[in-house]
Amino acid sequence: MNKDEFLEQQIKQLLQTGSDKQDLEKILGELKEIMKKIDDRSPEETIEELTNEIKEKSQMFLDKKNQDNESIITALSTCIYLPSLTGEYKLKFIGGKTSDGLDVNEETLFDIASITKMYTLLLTFKLEELGIIKLTDKISDLDSRFIGLEDFTIEDIILLCGELYTKGNPKDGKTKEEAEKILETIYLKSNDRTRNLYTDLGAIVLSKTLETVLSKYLNRQVTFDEIMEEFLLKPFGLNETKFNPDNYNLAGNGNTLGLVHDPKSRALGGNVGSAGIFTNSDDLAKLAKQMYIVDYCNYNALKNLVSKKNLDKMGTVTFPNSAQSNKGLLGGYQKHPDRENKWLDPLAYADKTFTFQGFTGAAATFDPTNKIHNNFLVGAIKDGAPKKDALFLETFRIYQQFIVYKTLELLIVKKYYEFINTKEEIDATFKI
């Protein structure tokens, strides 16, 4: 098989997984140029050419200013991660300043806001697989504080069914106890199970319910962050992922207090199922590896993993005809069948790709079919700000698309080197 035939085969395989034809056509010209020169270069030279362009675009994204000449982002850590049995690529592009004005480095932790819901979802699946809970369990049976949820189950919560309201807003509680009392007033305005409606409240209630369940199961009082640590973070080796970090090498939260940005999470102690996690690009790449490794191993022999069946659910469209049809379990974005105006989950990636995004601007994308992971950790919000700068969203969309295209080019380059039996490991950080 010559290089042209190899490239044609790879494009065909991507199309078969659900990659968008128009997107693939946009990178085909660059791929052909790369393949022309690839045999005359070492892998390091080929990767250098690709990474130089990524560094340049990352710098432009970081340097973008709004009309008031303020930076729309103050910190950036972007990662492209491609794991495999024959050698993984992990490329990180970092720059900017932490909340305390220090240079961002590989250890800098970012407030990932609603990406926390992805961890809550994975934890819920893990506890189900261990037999500690069932998705059909009623919330009110597990925790009598939430009697207002009537017959709603864990599954209803993660599907974002119905309409959930509280009498007051937990963020207005002057103490953690006051905030929790407001949360306990939660009730169903609608119990419609035929559509979804995005809300933080379900994930918060789920985390509080899991505290009650696991305290009984372990015969000791445990908090949500302790449950997350014991059943997900520690087994997955995510040592830098945490709630309420006690160091100040932090970014993305918009404040210098070391506190989570989200006001409800902050009022409730900073460790709930909807927001509160801080992490870095390395730990998100480790998480991707743990997600994808189920294809390579005996799942039953490694009980710390999450099953492929449950991972598939995370990228499956649950309510295709709902108003928020591109939002799936606990609010993760999914590739929608109509492919129109569903931009956050890249159309260039395979079906069952999913993306979680946080209010702070951070995003994490996982394509389990092609073993692709991208994360975008940013400082894009000011403390107490009602929303991000509109220019940030516009610029992020362009930057994300660029990273997606470069990731696919790297994927095919990597596969070509594997095809000619050149195996390598790349773990590089580029300061921008």
mmCIF file with all atom_site columns, all heavy atoms in Angstrom, residues 410-424:
data_model
loop_
_atom_site.group_PDB
_atom_site.id
_atom_site.type_symbol
_atom_site.label_atom_id
_atom_site.label_alt_id
_atom_site.label_comp_id
_atom_site.label_asym_id
_atom_site.label_entity_id
_atom_site.label_seq_id
_atom_site.pdbx_PDB_ins_code
_atom_site.Cartn_x
_atom_site.Cartn_y
_atom_site.Cartn_z
_atom_site.occupancy
_atom_site.B_iso_or_equiv
_atom_site.pdbx_formal_charge
_atom_site.auth_seq_id
_atom_site.auth_comp_id
_atom_site.auth_asym_id
_atom_site.auth_atom_id
_atom_site.pdbx_PDB_model_num
ATOM 1   N N   . LEU A 1 410 ? -2.650 14.828 13.118 1.00 0.00 ? 410 LEU A N   1
ATOM 2   C CA  . LEU A 1 410 ? -1.721 14.081 13.978 1.00 0.00 ? 410 LEU A CA  1
ATOM 3   C C   . LEU A 1 410 ? -2.119 12.612 14.091 1.00 0.00 ? 410 LEU A C   1
ATOM 4   O O   . LEU A 1 410 ? -1.258 11.728 14.110 1.00 0.00 ? 410 LEU A O   1
ATOM 5   C CB  . LEU A 1 410 ? -1.685 14.712 15.367 1.00 0.00 ? 410 LEU A CB  1
ATOM 6   C CG  . LEU A 1 410 ? -0.813 15.958 15.525 1.00 0.00 ? 410 LEU A CG  1
ATOM 7   C CD1 . LEU A 1 410 ? -1.178 16.716 16.792 1.00 0.00 ? 410 LEU A CD1 1
ATOM 8   C CD2 . LEU A 1 410 ? 0.663  15.576 15.547 1.00 0.00 ? 410 LEU A CD2 1
ATOM 9   N N   . LEU A 1 411 ? -3.418 12.350 14.156 1.00 0.00 ? 411 LEU A N   1
ATOM 10  C CA  . LEU A 1 411 ? -3.901 10.973 14.249 1.00 0.00 ? 411 LEU A CA  1
ATOM 11  C C   . LEU A 1 411 ? -3.452 10.161 13.038 1.00 0.00 ? 411 LEU A C   1
ATOM 12  O O   . LEU A 1 411 ? -2.960 9.029  13.176 1.00 0.00 ? 411 LEU A O   1
ATOM 13  C CB  . LEU A 1 411 ? -5.432 10.956 14.355 1.00 0.00 ? 411 LEU A CB  1
ATOM 14  C CG  . LEU A 1 411 ? -6.091 9.578  14.367 1.00 0.00 ? 411 LEU A CG  1
ATOM 15  C CD1 . LEU A 1 411 ? -5.794 8.840  15.667 1.00 0.00 ? 411 LEU A CD1 1
ATOM 16  C CD2 . LEU A 1 411 ? -7.610 9.696  14.163 1.00 0.00 ? 411 LEU A CD2 1
ATOM 17  N N   . ILE A 1 412 ? -3.600 10.736 11.854 1.00 0.00 ? 412 ILE A N   1
ATOM 18  C CA  . ILE A 1 412 ? -3.245 10.005 10.636 1.00 0.00 ? 412 ILE A CA  1
ATOM 19  C C   . ILE A 1 412 ? -1.727 9.881  10.503 1.00 0.00 ? 412 ILE A C   1
ATOM 20  O O   . ILE A 1 412 ? -1.214 8.837  10.075 1.00 0.00 ? 412 ILE A O   1
ATOM 21  C CB  . ILE A 1 412 ? -3.899 10.679 9.407  1.00 0.00 ? 412 ILE A CB  1
ATOM 22  C CG1 . ILE A 1 412 ? -5.426 10.448 9.480  1.00 0.00 ? 412 ILE A CG1 1
ATOM 23  C CG2 . ILE A 1 412 ? -3.338 10.124 8.109  1.00 0.00 ? 412 ILE A CG2 1
ATOM 24  C CD1 . ILE A 1 412 ? -6.223 11.138 8.410  1.00 0.00 ? 412 ILE A CD1 1
ATOM 25  N N   . VAL A 1 413 ? -0.998 10.915 10.892 1.00 0.00 ? 413 VAL A N   1
ATOM 26  C CA  . VAL A 1 413 ? 0.469  10.821 10.917 1.00 0.00 ? 413 VAL A CA  1
ATOM 27  C C   . VAL A 1 413 ? 0.903  9.701  11.855 1.00 0.00 ? 413 VAL A C   1
ATOM 28  O O   . VAL A 1 413 ? 1.771  8.874  11.523 1.00 0.00 ? 413 VAL A O   1
ATOM 29  C CB  . VAL A 1 413 ? 1.093  12.167 11.345 1.00 0.00 ? 413 VAL A CB  1
ATOM 30  C CG1 . VAL A 1 413 ? 2.559  11.996 11.734 1.00 0.00 ? 413 VAL A CG1 1
ATOM 31  C CG2 . VAL A 1 413 ? 0.957  13.191 10.222 1.00 0.00 ? 413 VAL A CG2 1
ATOM 32  N N   . LYS A 1 414 ? 0.321  9.663  13.027 1.00 0.00 ? 414 LYS A N   1
ATOM 33  C CA  . LYS A 1 414 ? 0.637  8.633  14.021 1.00 0.00 ? 414 LYS A CA  1
ATOM 34  C C   . LYS A 1 414 ? 0.351  7.234  13.462 1.00 0.00 ? 414 LYS A C   1
ATOM 35  O O   . LYS A 1 414 ? 1.152  6.306  13.604 1.00 0.00 ? 414 LYS A O   1
ATOM 36  C CB  . LYS A 1 414 ? -0.175 8.889  15.290 1.00 0.00 ? 414 LYS A CB  1
ATOM 37  C CG  . LYS A 1 414 ? 0.029  7.885  16.414 1.00 0.00 ? 414 LYS A CG  1
ATOM 38  C CD  . LYS A 1 414 ? -0.779 8.337  17.632 1.00 0.00 ? 414 LYS A CD  1
ATOM 39  C CE  . LYS A 1 414 ? -0.588 7.394  18.805 1.00 0.00 ? 414 LYS A CE  1
ATOM 40  N NZ  . LYS A 1 414 ? -1.116 6.072  18.569 1.00 0.00 ? 414 LYS A NZ  1
ATOM 41  N N   . LYS A 1 415 ? -0.802 7.091  12.814 1.00 0.00 ? 415 LYS A N   1
ATOM 42  C CA  . LYS A 1 415 ? -1.162 5.786  12.251 1.00 0.00 ? 415 LYS A CA  1
ATOM 43  C C   . LYS A 1 415 ? -0.219 5.382  11.124 1.00 0.00 ? 415 LYS A C   1
ATOM 44  O O   . LYS A 1 415 ? 0.079  4.190  10.941 1.00 0.00 ? 415 LYS A O   1
ATOM 45  C CB  . LYS A 1 415 ? -2.614 5.797  11.759 1.00 0.00 ? 415 LYS A CB  1
ATOM 46  C CG  . LYS A 1 415 ? -3.627 5.800  12.894 1.00 0.00 ? 415 LYS A CG  1
ATOM 47  C CD  . LYS A 1 415 ? -5.041 5.628  12.369 1.00 0.00 ? 415 LYS A CD  1
ATOM 48  C CE  . LYS A 1 415 ? -6.025 5.454  13.511 1.00 0.00 ? 415 LYS A CE  1
ATOM 49  N NZ  . LYS A 1 415 ? -7.385 5.195  13.038 1.00 0.00 ? 415 LYS A NZ  1
ATOM 50  N N   . TYR A 1 416 ? 0.276  6.380  10.372 1.00 0.00 ? 416 TYR A N   1
ATOM 51  C CA  . TYR A 1 416 ? 1.211  6.049  9.297  1.00 0.00 ? 416 TYR A CA  1
ATOM 52  C C   . TYR A 1 416 ? 2.521  5.527  9.877  1.00 0.00 ? 416 TYR A C   1
ATOM 53  O O   . TYR A 1 416 ? 3.074  4.535  9.396  1.00 0.00 ? 416 TYR A O   1
ATOM 54  C CB  . TYR A 1 416 ? 1.477  7.267  8.413  1.00 0.00 ? 416 TYR A CB  1
ATOM 55  C CG  . TYR A 1 416 ? 2.452  6.949  7.293  1.00 0.00 ? 416 TYR A CG  1
ATOM 56  C CD1 . TYR A 1 416 ? 2.057  6.162  6.218  1.00 0.00 ? 416 TYR A CD1 1
ATOM 57  C CD2 . TYR A 1 416 ? 3.764  7.407  7.343  1.00 0.00 ? 416 TYR A CD2 1
ATOM 58  C CE1 . TYR A 1 416 ? 2.951  5.839  5.208  1.00 0.00 ? 416 TYR A CE1 1
ATOM 59  C CE2 . TYR A 1 416 ? 4.659  7.091  6.334  1.00 0.00 ? 416 TYR A CE2 1
ATOM 60  C CZ  . TYR A 1 416 ? 4.247  6.304  5.266  1.00 0.00 ? 416 TYR A CZ  1
ATOM 61  O OH  . TYR A 1 416 ? 5.131  5.975  4.268  1.00 0.00 ? 416 TYR A OH  1
ATOM 62  N N   . TYR A 1 417 ? 3.018  6.180  10.916 1.00 0.00 ? 417 TYR A N   1
ATOM 63  C CA  . TYR A 1 417 ? 4.252  5.703  11.544 1.00 0.00 ? 417 TYR A CA  1
ATOM 64  C C   . TYR A 1 417 ? 4.064  4.311  12.137 1.00 0.00 ? 417 TYR A C   1
ATOM 65  O O   . TYR A 1 417 ? 4.977  3.474  12.090 1.00 0.00 ? 417 TYR A O   1
ATOM 66  C CB  . TYR A 1 417 ? 4.725  6.690  12.616 1.00 0.00 ? 417 TYR A CB  1
ATOM 67  C CG  . TYR A 1 417 ? 5.376  7.921  12.014 1.00 0.00 ? 417 TYR A CG  1
ATOM 68  C CD1 . TYR A 1 417 ? 4.958  9.190  12.372 1.00 0.00 ? 417 TYR A CD1 1
ATOM 69  C CD2 . TYR A 1 417 ? 6.408  7.802  11.088 1.00 0.00 ? 417 TYR A CD2 1
ATOM 70  C CE1 . TYR A 1 417 ? 5.550  10.322 11.822 1.00 0.00 ? 417 TYR A CE1 1
ATOM 71  C CE2 . TYR A 1 417 ? 6.997  8.919  10.532 1.00 0.00 ? 417 TYR A CE2 1
ATOM 72  C CZ  . TYR A 1 417 ? 6.572  10.181 10.891 1.00 0.00 ? 417 TYR A CZ  1
ATOM 73  O OH  . TYR A 1 417 ? 7.158  11.286 10.328 1.00 0.00 ? 417 TYR A OH  1
ATOM 74  N N   . GLU A 1 418 ? 2.905  4.035  12.675 1.00 0.00 ? 418 GLU A N   1
ATOM 75  C CA  . GLU A 1 418 ? 2.622  2.687  13.176 1.00 0.00 ? 418 GLU A CA  1
ATOM 76  C C   . GLU A 1 418 ? 2.577  1.684  12.021 1.00 0.00 ? 418 GLU A C   1
ATOM 77  O O   . GLU A 1 418 ? 3.054  0.550  12.140 1.00 0.00 ? 418 GLU A O   1
ATOM 78  C CB  . GLU A 1 418 ? 1.301  2.678  13.949 1.00 0.00 ? 418 GLU A CB  1
ATOM 79  C CG  . GLU A 1 418 ? 1.360  3.441  15.259 1.00 0.00 ? 418 GLU A CG  1
ATOM 80  C CD  . GLU A 1 418 ? 0.008  3.660  15.912 1.00 0.00 ? 418 GLU A CD  1
ATOM 81  O OE1 . GLU A 1 418 ? -1.030 3.404  15.253 1.00 0.00 ? 418 GLU A OE1 1
ATOM 82  O OE2 . GLU A 1 418 ? -0.024 4.107  17.061 1.00 0.00 ? 418 GLU A OE2 1
ATOM 83  N N   . PHE A 1 419 ? 2.031  2.121  10.890 1.00 0.00 ? 419 PHE A N   1
ATOM 84  C CA  . PHE A 1 419 ? 1.922  1.280  9.698  1.00 0.00 ? 419 PHE A CA  1
ATOM 85  C C   . PHE A 1 419 ? 3.308  0.875  9.176  1.00 0.00 ? 419 PHE A C   1
ATOM 86  O O   . PHE A 1 419 ? 3.514  -0.262 8.724  1.00 0.00 ? 419 PHE A O   1
ATOM 87  C CB  . PHE A 1 419 ? 1.137  2.040  8.625  1.00 0.00 ? 419 PHE A CB  1
ATOM 88  C CG  . PHE A 1 419 ? 1.108  1.370  7.279  1.00 0.00 ? 419 PHE A CG  1
ATOM 89  C CD1 . PHE A 1 419 ? 0.419  0.177  7.086  1.00 0.00 ? 419 PHE A CD1 1
ATOM 90  C CD2 . PHE A 1 419 ? 1.770  1.937  6.195  1.00 0.00 ? 419 PHE A CD2 1
ATOM 91  C CE1 . PHE A 1 419 ? 0.395  -0.432 5.831  1.00 0.00 ? 419 PHE A CE1 1
ATOM 92  C CE2 . PHE A 1 419 ? 1.746  1.337  4.950  1.00 0.00 ? 419 PHE A CE2 1
ATOM 93  C CZ  . PHE A 1 419 ? 1.049  0.147  4.770  1.00 0.00 ? 419 PHE A CZ  1
ATOM 94  N N   . ILE A 1 420 ? 4.265  1.806  9.273  1.00 0.00 ? 420 ILE A N   1
ATOM 95  C CA  . ILE A 1 420 ? 5.627  1.472  8.804  1.00 0.00 ? 420 ILE A CA  1
ATOM 96  C C   . ILE A 1 420 ? 6.522  1.031  9.974  1.00 0.00 ? 420 ILE A C   1
ATOM 97  O O   . ILE A 1 420 ? 7.750  1.047  9.877  1.00 0.00 ? 420 ILE A O   1
ATOM 98  C CB  . ILE A 1 420 ? 6.271  2.655  8.042  1.00 0.00 ? 420 ILE A CB  1
ATOM 99  C CG1 . ILE A 1 420 ? 6.390  3.892  8.940  1.00 0.00 ? 420 ILE A CG1 1
ATOM 100 C CG2 . ILE A 1 420 ? 5.478  2.974  6.779  1.00 0.00 ? 420 ILE A CG2 1
ATOM 101 C CD1 . ILE A 1 420 ? 7.155  5.044  8.302  1.00 0.00 ? 420 ILE A CD1 1
ATOM 102 N N   . ASN A 1 421 ? 5.850  0.645  11.062 1.00 0.00 ? 421 ASN A N   1
ATOM 103 C CA  . ASN A 1 421 ? 6.537  0.066  12.235 1.00 0.00 ? 421 ASN A CA  1
ATOM 104 C C   . ASN A 1 421 ? 7.496  1.030  12.929 1.00 0.00 ? 421 ASN A C   1
ATOM 105 O O   . ASN A 1 421 ? 8.564  0.639  13.399 1.00 0.00 ? 421 ASN A O   1
ATOM 106 C CB  . ASN A 1 421 ? 7.286  -1.219 11.849 1.00 0.00 ? 421 ASN A CB  1
ATOM 107 C CG  . ASN A 1 421 ? 6.331  -2.324 11.461 1.00 0.00 ? 421 ASN A CG  1
ATOM 108 O OD1 . ASN A 1 421 ? 5.334  -2.551 12.140 1.00 0.00 ? 421 ASN A OD1 1
ATOM 109 N ND2 . ASN A 1 421 ? 6.622  -3.007 10.360 1.00 0.00 ? 421 ASN A ND2 1
ATOM 110 N N   . THR A 1 422 ? 7.125  2.295  12.954 1.00 0.00 ? 422 THR A N   1
ATOM 111 C CA  . THR A 1 422 ? 7.874  3.279  13.744 1.00 0.00 ? 422 THR A CA  1
ATOM 112 C C   . THR A 1 422 ? 7.038  3.615  14.969 1.00 0.00 ? 422 THR A C   1
ATOM 113 O O   . THR A 1 422 ? 6.034  4.308  14.875 1.00 0.00 ? 422 THR A O   1
ATOM 114 C CB  . THR A 1 422 ? 8.132  4.567  12.935 1.00 0.00 ? 422 THR A CB  1
ATOM 115 O OG1 . THR A 1 422 ? 8.829  4.228  11.738 1.00 0.00 ? 422 THR A OG1 1
ATOM 116 C CG2 . THR A 1 422 ? 8.951  5.557  13.741 1.00 0.00 ? 422 THR A CG2 1
ATOM 117 N N   . LYS A 1 423 ? 7.442  3.079  16.109 1.00 0.00 ? 423 LYS A N   1
ATOM 118 C CA  . LYS A 1 423 ? 6.682  3.287  17.340 1.00 0.00 ? 423 LYS A CA  1
ATOM 119 C C   . LYS A 1 423 ? 7.365  4.359  18.177 1.00 0.00 ? 423 LYS A C   1
ATOM 120 O O   . LYS A 1 423 ? 8.577  4.414  18.270 1.00 0.00 ? 423 LYS A O   1
ATOM 121 C CB  . LYS A 1 423 ? 6.574  1.973  18.126 1.00 0.00 ? 423 LYS A CB  1
ATOM 122 C CG  . LYS A 1 423 ? 5.837  0.883  17.364 1.00 0.00 ? 423 LYS A CG  1
ATOM 123 C CD  . LYS A 1 423 ? 5.790  -0.405 18.162 1.00 0.00 ? 423 LYS A CD  1
ATOM 124 C CE  . LYS A 1 423 ? 4.955  -1.458 17.434 1.00 0.00 ? 423 LYS A CE  1
ATOM 125 N NZ  . LYS A 1 423 ? 5.511  -1.819 16.133 1.00 0.00 ? 423 LYS A NZ  1
ATOM 126 N N   . GLU A 1 424 ? 6.554  5.208  18.792 1.00 0.00 ? 424 GLU A N   1
ATOM 127 C CA  . GLU A 1 424 ? 7.134  6.300  19.568 1.00 0.00 ? 424 GLU A CA  1
ATOM 128 C C   . GLU A 1 424 ? 6.157  6.766  20.638 1.00 0.00 ? 424 GLU A C   1
ATOM 129 O O   . GLU A 1 424 ? 4.951  6.543  20.564 1.00 0.00 ? 424 GLU A O   1
ATOM 130 C CB  . GLU A 1 424 ? 7.483  7.470  18.654 1.00 0.00 ? 424 GLU A CB  1
ATOM 131 C CG  . GLU A 1 424 ? 6.252  8.003  17.908 1.00 0.00 ? 424 GLU A CG  1
ATOM 132 C CD  . GLU A 1 424 ? 6.608  9.083  16.914 1.00 0.00 ? 424 GLU A CD  1
ATOM 133 O OE1 . GLU A 1 424 ? 7.594  9.794  17.150 1.00 0.00 ? 424 GLU A OE1 1
ATOM 134 O OE2 . GLU A 1 424 ? 5.891  9.217  15.922 1.00 0.00 ? 424 GLU A OE2 1
#
